[in-house]
Amino acid sequence: MGAWLHNSLTWGDAVIIFLWGAVFLFVVLGFVTYAIYFERKVIGWMQLRIGPNRVGPFGLLQTVADIFKLLIKEDTIPRKADRLLFVLAPILCYVPAFTVLAVIPYTEKLYFADLNVGLLYYAALSGISTLAIVLGGWASNNKYALLGGMRSAAQMISYEVPLVISVVGVILLSGSLNLRDIVDAQAGGWFWDWNFLPQMIGFVVFIIAAVSELNRTPFDLPEAESELVAGYHVEYSGFRFAFFMLSEYVYVYAIAALTTVLFLGGWHAPAPFLDFVPGIIWFLLKFAFIVFFLFWIRATFPRIRVDQLMGLGWKVLLPVSLLNVFLTAGYLELFVK
């Protein structure tokens, strides 16, 4: 009886976890749907265009219509493609993008998983999407798709190195890889206690490397339509193409949330007298600002050349991120201990 009860509780916990995961999946899908809409409106506003305004009030259902169109389009697979890998690649791209969100803390009590190595978990899983993009490009049996996949591998591996090193200073200041501990270490009461000021160098490197990891303008070379037609996903259509696009915007969500946690104090208010505002509101405001900033960059910068991309990563960001680690370690050794 005791064993049966124990198994029942285990199954009950699994059902609850599954239901919470399903609810969170719908939240993320809602974010993706309207992030695309607001990106188009923001870029239209910055470039003196109208943006979507026809489907639904103020064009709010335009993205819904676009998604529905993708879902009902014919699903084609090239005749000489590696069918198994071609089908697997979009799934392998999306699953890590969604699972990394499990360690993001939104408030002191609102989070899904409290891992002691949450930051390491994020870095390890996010790298799997690189493999998925390479697989999709290679399995398509298309030279343009293969070039896009190879570019993506070179770009994402090159920029993942300074991205990870840029947060080492944050880890040194907080003394933990746990994301909740990192937020708690920024709880001084004023905005200058957040990591973006003492870690300004790391913050700038992190933002640049993160934009590159997202394959977004000005680093969108893996899907450069002027050179590669559409890059690694050129042979994908319908819902498989939608999975690649979904993964990109889920990573926008993840990077914005991670930036808020690591550098902008998470759910903490910018001043003590503003503590009456709930922590989740502060988190969402900071999160929305980072998302807007990513849209702003896309509307402003032109695409750079591939040699400039690689040179920036290895010759500039990597040395600067290493310098930030040495400066932070020196500060802690000389002035804190």
Side-chain angles (χ1 to χ4, degrees):
M1 181 67 179
W4 177 85
L5 181 61
H6 175 74
N7 291 335
S8 298
L9 289 174
T10 302
W11 279 106
D13 292 341
V15 169
I16 292 173
I17 292 172
F18 174 79
L19 291 176
W20 273 113
V23 169
F24 186 55
L25 175 62
F26 281 106
V27 171
V28 172
L29 291 176
F31 164 82
V32 171
T33 300
Y34 285 98
I36 295 171
Y37 167 79
F38 281 110
E39 179 172 25
R40 295 172 70 180
K41 292 297 275 188
V42 166
I43 293 177
W45 168 62
M46 290 183 174
Q47 297 177 348
L48 299 179
R49 294 184 289 105
I50 296 174
N53 69 337
R54 295 294 181 186
V55 185
F58 307 105
L60 285 170
L61 298 180
Q62 180 64 61
T63 307
V64 177
D66 292 339
I67 294 173
F68 180 70
K69 179 194 72 172
L70 282 175
L71 294 179
I72 63 174
K73 285 184 74 172
E74 181 183 3
D75 175 34
T76 60
I77 298 179
R79 184 171 55 192
K80 294 187 178 181
D82 187 318
R83 190 178 185 90
L84 176 62
L85 296 182
F86 188 88
V87 171
L88 182 63
I91 302 170
L92 191 60
C93 188
Y94 174 72
V95 171
F98 182 68
T99 52
V100 296
L101 303 179
V103 294
I104 301 294
Y106 301 94
T107 67
E108 193 171 357
K109 297 181 180 180
L110 181 58
Y111 54 88
F112 286 91
D114 185 22
L115 298 183
N116 288 332
V117 289
L119 191 53
L120 182 62
Y121 168 90
Y122 182 101
L125 278 187
S126 61
I128 298 176
S129 294
T130 305
L131 176 62
I133 290 174
V134 175
L135 280 180
W138 183 82
S140 298
N141 192 36
N142 180 302
K143 293 182 177 63
Y144 293 108
L146 179 60
L147 283 172
M150 291 298 101
R151 275 188 181 182
S152 180
Q155 175 177 330
M156 296 178 77
I157 292 172
S158 299
Y159 278 80
E160 199 164 337
V161 176
L163 179 75
V164 173
I165 295 176
S166 67
V167 302
V168 172
V170 173
I171 297 170
L172 290 173
L173 290 178
S174 62
S176 176
L177 286 166
N178 184 296
L179 293 178
R180 289 180 65 239
D181 291 344
I182 291 174
V183 175
D184 289 338
Q186 303 173 69
W190 296 91
F191 72 90
W192 52 74
D193 293 304
W194 302 345
N195 285 329
F196 84 96
L197 277 178
Q199 284 294 301
M200 179 59 71
I201 298 175
F203 177 62
V204 172
V205 172
F206 180 87
I207 290 293
I208 297 173
V211 174
S212 180
E213 284 286 293
L214 293 171
N215 288 335
R216 291 175 63 85
T217 307
F219 305 115
D220 56 340
L221 289 165
E223 49 189 75
E225 70 281 349
S226 59
E227 306 161 47
L228 301 178
V229 187
Y232 58 89
H233 51 60
V234 65
E235 296 289 357
Y236 283 88
S237 63
F239 72 95
R240 300 190 203 281
F241 173 79
F243 261 80
F244 278 117
M245 293 298 98
L246 178 63
S247 301
E248 177 181 327
Y249 280 91
V250 172
Y251 270 124
V252 168
Y253 180 106
I255 284 294
L258 188 66
T259 306
T260 302
V261 167
L262 294 179
F263 294 100
L264 300 181
W267 56 84
H268 294 298
F273 57 85
L274 295 175
D275 278 341
F276 68 92
V277 179
I280 187 64
I281 301 298
W282 287 119
F283 185 96
L284 292 176
L285 286 173
K286 299 169 189 177
F287 171 86
F289 172 75
I290 296 297
V291 172
F292 171 78
F293 180 73
L294 293 174
F295 296 165
W296 188 1
I297 290 176
R298 182 172 182 178
T300 307
F301 288 94
R303 181 183 297 135
I304 65 175
R305 298 195 314 263
V306 66
D307 60 312
Q308 295 171 328
L309 171 84
M310 301 304 289
L312 176 65
W314 289 109
K315 296 178 182 178
V316 179
L317 296 186
L318 179 59
V320 170
S321 61
L322 288 171
L323 175 64
N324 180 63
V325 173
F326 284 113
L327 290 176
T328 305
Y331 167 77
L332 292 175
E333 184 65 31
L334 295 174
F335 300 103
V336 176
K337 291 186 178 180

